[in-house]
Amino acid sequence: MALRSVSRRLGSRILNHRSFVASLHSHATSFGFQEVKEEDKSKLVGNVFTNVASSYDIMNDVMSGGLHRLWKERLVGKLSPFAGMKHLDVAGGTGDVAFRIYDAIYSVKRRALQKVDEASLEETQIYVCDINPNMLNVGKQRAAERGLRDNKSLVWVEGNAEALSFDDNSMDGYTIAFGIRNVTHIEKALAEAYRVLKRGGRFLCLELSHVDIPIFKNLYDLYSFQVIPHIGELIAGDRESYQYLVESIRRFPPQEKFASMIADAGFEKVEYENLVGGVVAIHSGIKL
Amino acid sequence: MYRTAAKRLLGGGGAFTATRLLRFPKLRSTIIPSSYTSGLCTSSVGGNAESPMGGNQSVNPNQSDHTASSSSSTSTGEGPRRDESRKPRAEFQEEQARVLSASLRHVPRLGWTEEAMMAGSRDVGVSPSIVGSFSRKEAALVEFFMDECLQLLMDKIDSGLDLQNLIPSARIAKLIRIRLEMQVPYMSKWPQALSIQAHPLNVATSFKQRAMLVDEIWHAVGDGASDLDWYVKRTILGGVYSTTEIYMLTDDSLEHRDTWAFLDDRVKDAFDLKKSIQEVFCTRHRSWSWEISSRTNEWSYADDVQKKWWYYVLKDHTFRHDSAPFLHNILS
């Protein structure tokens, strides 16, 4: 009896080790800490977001203590949107970033301070692309609440970050906030981003990332693995999805590695900025 | 970085070599942004430390290198990767310089603003969103302009400006005039540029640029000082330059004649001040030695002579070198 339990424990430890080693460098086959086939990953991720769509915004607020709003503001500030720009927000289903960009361009204060050509205002196009139609519906609903239902500037498109339906060299800006982690092949998404951007266009990615500060790291891990799945269960009624969320953060490449991946895709002036000690990082690059 | 020091190092091997050395290293050190908001820190990948090497650069070799740069390490830093990452970085600098240079054309109409830079980027054929990536956007434009003017001034000096026949004060006036005339096309928007330069974030760079300009002018005038004098000279010239610049903002006279008259007056004032200071220094030195000698209790015959000499000099209330007659009186 004792021998069997020992062998089971040893066996499981060896199995874990082997699977951990095998999946050390593969984002494409990791679904959190689980191993899945590549073809299945996008379906599983799709399921996650279908489940969480309705409570996505509330959960964001609770998990980050409202900080996610500041992070998105920072992202849009870095982008410096201008009137007449064609912008693509990928995996931005519920429209957080898109609405901020819209406000930044159309704000009355900005138009008063700077000489803005009204004709170029008309040309502004903000495309919101998401693979999950449920998330897009939530976004459209929020647009309607703001009175932007029939606004020509906001366009909601269903699409895959790895195979965008936009033309080459057509976008001035590309943002992806908290979405690139869920993509099966990060390199493909980056290559697509490079393709659709115009010369001089900017790529900005806001993503949960790795914390290195010693004590803070432990606190953050504790919070991630103990508190968040519980909150997920309480508020969204879905523990597994939020377990996937925190695990996928750990599996995502660290800041430097991701920056080198962006540089490999062809972008220049690749930089990253850590917010809250590395909990969130904004990576940026320019296509030249 | 400074011409005087460079020349001394090279042993005066021709002014030509000195300028070659100066142009290709960066004119300014990179500015590493500090965390001015809590919890933020920036790093960059791929290196932003070098300007393009060699003399095969374009007409405009100065790089507006204000972009964030700290470490130049990539996580997988193999040799070939590092070389590749250096070339693209240089390309961004070139692109930025190109956009800023094209934006200068729009400045008289749109001011030193993002709009001017976006118009410039459209001229070059690049998406205006590149402007969002310039650090301290308007300041980048102003600093680029200042660098360009300095480069133009250096070129003019090298290509044989006739300074030998003029006295120093006239040389300085001429050089400042040449430099200020470069700003004439932008005069309507220059107050905005000055306010951008005075902004706390930008003060460090603008101060450095002005210091380089002033050093350049003194070097061309032929100054070789290296002690405390060096700082004093540059400070005073900096003051003259700045006051003339500000006077020029409100000058409506034909071809800025009033400004040049003002400039000549200020330069003359500066030289007069220098003479006055020299006189004060001499006087003080003498009165000190008088003080010291009068306080010694034991003094030799030589001291006695000296003391009497001083007495006569002071009594005369003159501080002249021709106190020799008094000496003869005492000795005889």
Side-chain angles (χ1 to χ4, degrees):
Chain A
M1 170 61 179
L3 194 63
R4 219 181 299 145
S5 64
V6 163
S7 62
R8 210 182 304 136
R9 240 181 296 133
L10 266 174
S12 64
R13 207 172 292 162
I14 292 169
L15 193 65
N16 275 346
H17 177 70
R18 209 183 303 142
S19 65
F20 179 70
V21 166
S23 62
L24 205 53
H25 298 293
S26 174
H27 178 87
T29 55
S30 68
F31 182 72
F33 288 156
Q34 291 175 33
E35 284 313 302
V36 298
K37 294 211 205 82
E38 269 187 37
E39 314 81 69
D40 296 337
K41 174 159 177 179
S42 54
K43 195 156 47 83
L44 289 167
V45 172
N47 287 343
V48 165
F49 281 93
T50 310
N51 293 340
V52 308
S54 52
S55 54
Y56 186 72
D57 294 318
I58 304 175
M59 274 304 292
N60 277 345
D61 267 329
V62 173
M63 283 193 292
S64 67
L67 280 177
H68 74 107
R69 295 160 196 265
L70 294 179
W71 299 333
K72 286 166 186 160
E73 295 278 338
R74 177 89 187 153
L75 178 72
V76 172
K78 273 197 125 154
L79 179 67
S80 308
F82 57 93
M85 89 181 295
K86 308 253 180 297
H87 184 79
L88 173 60
D89 182 31
V90 175
T94 54
D96 261 345
V97 172
F99 290 137
R100 282 186 170 78
I101 296 176
Y102 181 87
D103 287 338
I105 296 176
Y106 283 85
S107 76
V108 176
K109 172 178 159 192
R110 186 196 168 105
R111 279 149 78 177
L113 282 177
Q114 301 169 355
K115 305 176 193 68
V116 175
D117 190 8
E118 293 301 319
S120 63
L121 262 184
E122 300 291 312
E123 286 171 17
T124 318
Q125 292 281 302
I126 305 171
Y127 298 94
V128 186
C129 176
D130 201 290
I131 198 172
N132 192 302
N134 295 2
M135 297 284 279
L136 279 176
N137 287 338
V138 174
K140 284 181 198 164
Q141 205 179 328
R142 291 176 64 198
E145 281 165 27
R146 286 172 180 236
L148 298 173
R149 186 210 299 270
D150 298 319
N151 194 300
K152 299 271 188 325
S153 301
L154 279 172
V155 182
W156 306 85
V157 176
E158 193 177 325
N160 188 345
E162 297 180 21
L164 293 169
S165 56
F166 301 97
D167 296 331
D168 296 0
N169 300 317
S170 58
M171 297 292 166
D172 290 304
Y174 178 110
T175 50
I176 180 162
F178 303 121
I180 203 149
R181 209 177 59 248
N182 305 313
V183 156
T184 313
H185 297 103
I186 300 179
E187 294 84 0
K188 278 196 196 164
L190 294 175
E192 277 294 286
Y194 190 80
R195 182 183 68 82
V196 299
L197 278 173
K198 282 186 203 167
R199 193 153 175 270
R202 292 181 75 201
F203 166 86
L204 285 155
C205 170
L206 175 68
E207 192 53 76
L208 294 157
S209 201
H210 292 251
V211 178
D212 287 325
I213 306 168
I215 301 175
F216 184 59
K217 178 175 168 46
N218 297 337
L219 286 172
Y220 178 58
D221 284 344
L222 193 77
Y223 177 70
S224 299
F225 288 105
Q226 307 304 329
V227 176
I228 289 186
H230 274 112
I231 302 178
E233 195 168 6
L234 272 172
I235 299 185
D238 189 352
R239 191 200 172 86
E240 280 75 35
S241 301
Y242 288 93
Q243 188 71 29
Y244 157 73
L245 172 79
V246 270
E247 290 173 1
S248 67
I249 297 172
R250 297 301 179 286
R251 282 310 202 98
F252 190 71
Q255 284 88 324
E256 288 284 346
K257 177 83 174 54
F258 185 50
S260 68
M261 286 165 80
I262 298 176
D264 284 341
F267 289 100
E268 291 174 21
K269 198 179 180 244
V270 180
E271 296 175 326
Y272 67 87
E273 181 183 3
N274 277 340
L275 305 177
V276 195
V279 173
V280 173
I282 300 180
H283 283 77
S284 62
I286 304 179
K287 170 176 174 174
L288 276 180
Chain B
M1 183 157 104
Y2 290 93
R3 267 182 145 180
T4 19
K7 215 171 189 176
R8 214 171 296 121
L9 280 172
L10 293 172
F16 197 65
T17 45
T19 53
R20 279 279 165 269
L21 225 177
L22 280 171
R23 275 204 199 130
F24 300 114
K26 281 205 302 285
L27 288 180
R28 243 164 0 289
S29 56
T30 53
I31 300 164
I32 299 169
S34 51
S35 319
Y36 52 86
T37 328
S38 62
L40 298 179
C41 65
T42 311
S43 312
S44 67
V45 169
N48 191 14
E50 275 93 88
S51 56
M53 306 314 272
N56 51 359
Q57 261 308 299
S58 58
V59 177
N60 227 346
N62 35 308
Q63 308 294 322
S64 319
D65 194 357
H66 305 285
T67 52
S69 85
S70 44
S71 60
S72 61
S73 60
T74 51
S75 58
T76 53
E78 300 100 55
R81 176 84 62 81
R82 215 176 292 132
D83 286 340
E84 274 168 18
S85 67
R86 271 187 198 159
K87 263 199 275 104
R89 188 54 61 134
E91 213 187 293
F92 173 72
Q93 305 291 4
E94 281 172 39
E95 206 55 55
Q96 184 175 8
R98 227 177 289 161
V99 168
L100 290 175
S101 143
S103 326
L104 285 177
R105 239 171 299 146
H106 299 274
V107 165
R109 196 171 33 98
L110 297 170
W112 304 87
T113 55
E114 278 183 48
E115 280 71 38
M117 290 195 279
M118 290 205 275
S121 69
R122 286 197 192 98
D123 288 345
V124 175
V126 168
S127 163
S129 48
I130 200 174
V131 172
S133 70
F134 297 163
S135 57
R136 299 175 295 120
K137 308 175 185 59
E138 290 104 356
L141 187 56
V142 175
E143 281 155 16
F144 175 81
F145 176 71
M146 294 285 282
D147 279 339
E148 240 195 18
C149 287
L150 179 60
Q151 200 60 53
L152 263 174
L153 183 67
M154 279 161 73
D155 288 340
K156 277 212 165 119
I157 294 171
D158 286 340
S159 66
L161 201 58
D162 183 26
L163 291 173
Q164 302 311 317
N165 300 335
L166 301 169
I167 57 174
S169 60
R171 277 186 225 167
I172 291 180
K174 184 169 183 181
L175 286 169
I176 294 183
R177 177 173 173 162
I178 293 173
R179 173 59 182 80
L180 285 174
E181 276 172 348
M182 294 178 197
Q183 281 172 203
V184 165
Y186 307 96
M187 207 32 77
S188 56
K189 303 286 183 198
W190 195 248
Q192 186 186 10
L194 286 177
S195 75
I196 290 171
Q197 290 187 315
H199 196 269
L201 282 174
N202 308 326
V203 164
T205 328
S206 63
F207 180 78
K208 215 175 258 191
Q209 286 177 316
R210 281 167 190 272
M212 275 170 44
L213 170 66
V214 160
D215 182 58
E216 194 54 48
I217 294 178
W218 266 121
H219 181 85
V221 166
D223 166 56
S226 57
D227 50 359
L228 192 66
D229 237 14
W230 192 89
Y231 290 96
V232 170
K233 281 190 167 137
R234 275 143 189 80
T235 313
I236 293 183
L237 183 57
V240 169
Y241 178 83
S242 300
T243 47
T244 317
E245 193 181 17
I246 292 174
Y247 184 92
M248 206 169 163
L249 293 176
T250 53
D251 182 23
D252 288 326
S253 63
L254 193 62
E255 292 179 25
H256 301 277
R257 234 173 270 156
D258 290 346
T259 309
W260 312 135
F262 179 87
L263 172 61
D264 289 332
D265 285 342
R266 295 289 80 71
V267 171
K268 181 166 164 300
D269 284 347
F271 274 81
D272 284 347
L273 179 68
K274 179 180 161 195
K275 272 190 220 126
S276 316
I277 289 178
Q278 277 176 345
E279 284 184 10
V280 169
F281 257 107
C282 282
T283 313
R284 221 184 328 148
H285 178 75
R286 287 189 186 176
S287 64
W288 282 345
S289 64
W290 182 73
E291 279 294 318
I292 290 167
S293 66
S294 73
R295 271 160 177 51
T296 49
N297 291 325
E298 291 183 57
W299 25 283
S300 61
Y301 172 73
D303 283 347
D304 195 13
V305 167
Q306 189 181 30
K307 194 181 174 204
K308 283 187 183 150
W309 179 65
W310 274 115
Y311 171 76
Y312 280 117
V313 169
L314 281 171
K315 195 175 165 209
D316 250 356
H317 300 294
T318 56
F319 304 94
R320 292 196 311 249
H321 293 283
D322 51 356
S323 324
F326 295 120
L327 214 67
H328 277 148
N329 260 347
I330 300 162
L331 287 172
S332 58

